[in-house]
Amino acid sequence: MQIIDYCVLFSTILAVILIGWLSGRKTRSTDSAKEYLLTEKGINRLQAGFSMAATDFGGSGLVGAIGYCYFVGISGIWWNLAAAPAFILVGVFWAKKFHRMDCSTLPEYFGKRYGQGVKLLSCVLHILTNVAALSVQFTVSCTVWHIITGFNVNVSLIISVLIVLFLTSGGLRAVVNTDAVLFVIIVISILLMVPFSIQAVGGYAILKANVPDEFFRFDQLGAWTPISWILLCILNYSTNQNYIQRMVSAKDEGTAKFGALFTAGFYVIISMALGLIGIAAHVLLPGIEDSNMIFATMLVRFFPHGLLGIGLAAVFAATISTGTSMLHATATLIVNDIYVPLNKSGRNDKSILAVSRISVFAVALFALGISIFSSNIVNICYIGGLFYGVSAFVPMVLGLHSKFVTSKAALISMVLTVVLSLLWEYLPALRINTLAQIPSNVFGLALSAVIICVISVLTNKVRKDKNHV
């Protein structure tokens, strides 16, 4: 890197830090826990759309997707493109319901609908999933910083964590506003990289001539993998606090819906851009085995100085925006669904704020420890969804749309779905031959629906029989 690259990168970092500090002044001046956690329902459409898109598009969406397209061609864009139909479904069917459900988190809603057992279980599973996903952001950020700047790996990790901690300390308003700025950086950076990548190859015609024909086909992953990824996104976006928090905090129902639909449109555009960069990397950098290194190596070898700094700023933006959102959402879960219910006598704004900030530091350190051992970021994201999204989706949908499901059915289905989905993933020998190709999240979702419906029918029947007696 040259001085211009460092100037671009550090100017971006300083601008984001300044915006985060200015945005957090209201939280610091009011000392309001509601402002810190939910901005008192003050998110407008621009904030909702930009923030939700930046929240979801993290390190796995940028570095992981380019690496995947490097190996399989344009079909690899399904890793990001799967988000588009998922966000459309969330926007059309659930965004308005989330906004008016009068709860800060989905576990809180579960507590009101199904009881404290379901609330606590869903909260713990959600926290575990978020910590695993946060570790992915730290891993991506660390890898790219290390390759491009030459910083020590541990130094890179510490820089990433400190920035995320600072931006999160200003509360949700600071997170949302910095997300909006980071979103703009992400979009500009990636759209600039596409023509430079194709130009480095020698033009689109040469690019296409130097890769196998199947690299420009969208069906190379078969049917089950894209279906599984779309389902993973639906489960994630409809149950994860990172996104629900935006919809709950929106100023009205229309804003909540707009945020989800805007993000769907963003993914259609950005997926194709990243696919072309990944295919160009396949031509320019043959023989790379570690997919996490492909994007950073492309930047260092083929991008002009100045754009190199912008590329690194994109990685910074993608990982930091997602990291701050995950960290804040996890702290909200800990405070709202564990601390406040257990400490009813001593809870007040001051104590809630203190616990929120302590939780932010604790979660960041825990995720940092996990990131040291993480490797395949796509796989980590996928497996993380089996802990929470698969088990929470059916209780969430049936809870919002009907009164049929019982508390006992919800609790039993969540426990069995998590256990059996993980067994399906890690012990393929247990699979029935005719069903062996079914992805774990598809299996888990079907299992969850069957269990919750059967147990609800049985428990409702028992309840009716007792009433007749």
Side-chain angles (χ1 to χ4, degrees), residues 3 53 113 147 167 311 407 413 430:
I3 188 66
R113 176 65 175 81
I147 292 173
L167 296 177
S407 300
S413 73
L430 298 178

Side-chain angles (χ1 to χ4, degrees), residues 108-175:
E108 182 183 354
Y109 168 77
F110 281 160
K112 292 181 178 180
R113 176 65 175 81
Y114 298 121
Q116 293 304 305
V118 176
K119 174 183 178 179
L120 184 59
L121 175 62
S122 63
C123 182
V124 171
L125 292 174
H126 198 345
I127 290 170
L128 290 174
T129 298
N130 270 14
V131 170
L134 182 58
S135 72
V136 168
Q137 304 310 314
F138 291 152
T139 298
V140 172
S141 181
C142 166
T143 302
V144 177
W145 278 66
H146 171 67
I147 292 173
I148 294 179
T149 65
F151 289 167
N152 178 274
V153 173
N154 292 330
V155 172
S156 301
L157 277 171
I158 291 171
I159 291 173
S160 300
V161 173
L162 288 177
I163 293 173
V164 169
L165 282 171
F166 177 81
L167 296 177
T168 309
S169 66
L172 184 58
R173 190 178 300 276
V175 170

Side-chain angles (χ1 to χ4, degrees), residues 353-372:
L353 276 170
V355 173
S356 298
R357 286 168 174 147
I358 292 171
S359 299
V360 164
F361 278 91
V363 171
L365 291 175
F366 190 25
L368 178 60
I370 295 176
S371 69
I372 297 173

Side-chain angles (χ1 to χ4, degrees), residues 29-78:
S29 63
T30 60
D31 252 8
S32 166
K34 191 173 183 181
E35 167 67 23
Y36 182 88
L37 296 175
L38 293 174
T39 72
E40 299 183 349
K41 287 189 177 289
I43 295 179
N44 60 39
R45 289 200 172 196
L46 186 65
Q47 291 172 317
F50 282 18
S51 176
M52 194 175 291
T55 292
D56 187 59
F57 187 75
S60 64
L62 177 59
V63 177
I66 288 175
Y68 207 70
C69 291
Y70 174 93
F71 289 109
V72 303
I74 202 69
S75 292
I77 72 170
W78 280 109

Side-chain angles (χ1 to χ4, degrees), residues 286-433:
I288 293 182
E289 297 181 0
D290 185 353
S291 61
N292 293 350
M293 297 180 62
I294 293 170
F295 177 69
T297 307
M298 275 280 289
L299 288 176
V300 171
R301 292 190 185 179
F302 298 103
F303 284 69
H305 293 290
L307 188 62
L308 174 56
I310 294 175
L312 186 53
V315 179
F316 163 77
T319 56
I320 297 303
S321 62
T322 303
T324 55
S325 298
M326 287 181 176
L327 191 54
H328 187 276
T330 308
T332 302
L333 290 166
I334 294 171
V335 172
N336 189 77
D337 300 319
I338 297 178
Y339 171 73
V340 171
L342 293 178
N343 192 38
K344 293 182 179 180
S345 60
R347 67 186 184 190
N348 52 57
D349 264 4
K350 188 174 182 179
S351 65
I352 292 174
L353 276 170
V355 173
S356 298
R357 286 168 174 147
I358 292 171
S359 299
V360 164
F361 278 91
V363 171
L365 291 175
F366 190 25
L368 178 60
I370 295 176
S371 69
I372 297 173
F373 302 100
S374 59
S375 54
N376 188 320
I377 57 181
V378 170
N379 187 56
I380 291 171
C381 292
Y382 180 82
I383 298 302
L386 296 180
F387 283 103
Y388 173 69
V390 172
S391 64
F393 180 76
V394 173
M396 182 274 294
V397 172
L398 294 181
L400 289 174
H401 293 278
S402 75
K403 296 183 178 179
F404 166 70
V405 176
T406 64
S407 300
K408 182 180 291 185
L411 181 61
I412 293 174
S413 73
M414 288 188 72
V415 173
L416 290 180
T417 299
V418 171
V419 172
L420 295 177
S421 295
L422 290 173
L423 288 176
W424 188 266
E425 176 70 24
Y426 287 109
L427 295 177
L430 298 178
R431 301 179 186 180
I432 302 171
N433 288 336

